[in-house]
Amino acid sequence: MNINRLFSLLICLVTFVGINAQMQLPVMSINGNDFYYYKLSDKESVHGVSQKTGLPADVIAEYNTWASNGLEKQFLLLVPVNYKSMAAPQSSQKFQPQQQVGYTLVAGDNIYSVAKRFNASVEGILSSNISLAPSDYKPGTTVRVTPQSAMPFAYDAAVTRFKTHDIKKDESFYSIANQYGTTTSTLKQLNPSVDKLKKGKKIIVPFTTIVRTTGNVATMSVNDLERHYASHINGIYNTLVEEHRNKECNVGIILPFQLHKSDAPKQAYLYTDYLKGFMLALDSLGNKASRKINVKVYDTQHNLNVTDSLLALPEMRNLDFIIAPGEPKQLERVNAFGQANGINVLNSFTTKNDDYKSNPHSLLVNTPTPLLVANLTQWMTTRFADCDAIFLEDVANEASEMFGLIKQNLNSAGVHCSTIKVDGDLSFDVLSRKLNPATNYVIIPSNGNKNLLKKIIPALKQAKQERFDCDFNLIAYPEHVLYLKDYQNDLMVIDTYMFSRFFNSKGFRTRNVENSYAKWYGGTMLESYPHMGLLGFDTGCYIIESMGNAHDINETTDLYKGIQTGFKFSRIDGCEGLVNQAITLVHFSPDKKIESFIVLDK
């Protein structure tokens, strides 16, 4: 036989014997890790054991630190079962990540066990489940994971190795086990030939050392993963959240759409129209924002228990902005959630909530009546600086809260005021006697009642036509918008200024939205006051322009002039939250024009 061929066969035979011997080595578990072990006989060497078992000599020496001083009969040599996979991965190693899968956590799972199970990076799992903080990985939670996506990295591994211990007088397995943080059964397992401890003799003991190594998630222990990440995983998560927020903005619309009902009440349909308007705004402006706007819609079903369940979802804490329902208890719950989690909550639907006074994350769209009137009267004392005020008090109906505040504010400002009691139709003669030549007046009815408007219109129109020696303007209430079909021309003749929290002039901007609505949804928007579809559109445009570009809404956010609603938030004295200061003044002028403009507190 050719000598080279014989040599090759011998090498193959030796390799086969070595591998076969290694595969047949017994295994014991120490500190939760499995080790091959080999019991030494007389006059053996590390090299000889390596040749006999197939275990690399350097690995034997690394884990049995005492072996460098010579091998002793009956002692055990131990090497981790997974010593091959613990070697530093080669740079040519290729990873082929699979598509994301869903995994529901069971008892004992945490983010580290999930990472190891799927050989996925901890950072990747956090990024794919940005709404889950590291502490939220609890049984029953479903997480998204990309298997085989982890790459090698350097980490400090806790490695079990073995050395000898010189037995001292009166030492026992128990005392030595305590000294090395192990158990008596482990010591006896490592020293099967030792029955009794004798002073001056040696036994094998395990010890744990931290070794800087390079490896991957698949070969690391869960404990090593947790040790590597525990001190800074919250920092990693917070950084990922911040990066995510810089790229995306999550808006939560939490309203009682009541989709579970086959015959939902009208209020539910109005909320649905609001949502439709909001989505039209997203379609119109979404691609112009520097951040991607994600809209997440939740149905509270007009049920407080459902609202609480929704707010308990981990994903809720990842919202950047919330639009809340107007129902008192639901709004209260959502506002509390926003305050606890640092998320701004927009109250678009009611003035009957005072959370903005103490909650810095509460934003009130509908300007409170005292502030609304304060802004109005401040504008009046500037616009009508040299005017006297005439109050038209309705005898048949109580004065409105707004009228009382207007009267109080004008008196405090030193405006000369007089009053006419209106019992039945207002008489032109009675009105005319209050009008002095070369004097300008502002006339203010005591409420927005349609009947009062009907009683005073004829006398005001006659005075405009016949008392050319003086001039006056009428101040109209928000409710008067409901009567424009009957009285719009009259209000123009009288030269009227109507104040309101919102107004739709029905110009080309309105028509564009209505056309888009018909294209998207078919039909027309529901009629309401205010128009819910337009309120949703204006709100959507405002949030997209502010949150999508400036990343926040605060006192420095620019005024937004909507189709129906203006937005300009600020903090008023004694209040923590933000209040919309933008009120609308609508001028019905004698030249048949209707012009609206925003009035702000100066």
Side-chain angles (χ1 to χ4, degrees), residues 257-265 268-269 299 301-302:
F257 301 106
Q258 303 188 58
L259 300 177
H260 63 296
K261 292 184 178 181
S262 58
D263 186 21
Y269 287 105
D299 183 5
Q301 300 181 14
H302 197 57

Side-chain angles (χ1 to χ4, degrees), residues 20-41:
N20 188 54
Q22 180 187 351
M23 295 300 292
Q24 294 179 356
L25 286 173
V27 175
M28 70 169 63
S29 181
I30 305 293
N31 293 342
N33 298 308
D34 291 335
F35 291 84
Y36 292 124
Y37 67 93
Y38 174 79
K39 189 173 183 179
L40 291 166
S41 57

Side-chain angles (χ1 to χ4, degrees), residues 74-95:
Q74 303 300 315
F75 275 16
L76 300 184
L77 289 173
L78 297 99
V79 170
V81 168
N82 64 340
Y83 74 88
K84 290 183 179 180
S85 62
M86 295 172 68
Q90 301 298 314
S91 58
S92 60
Q93 185 174 3
K94 294 182 179 179
F95 291 81

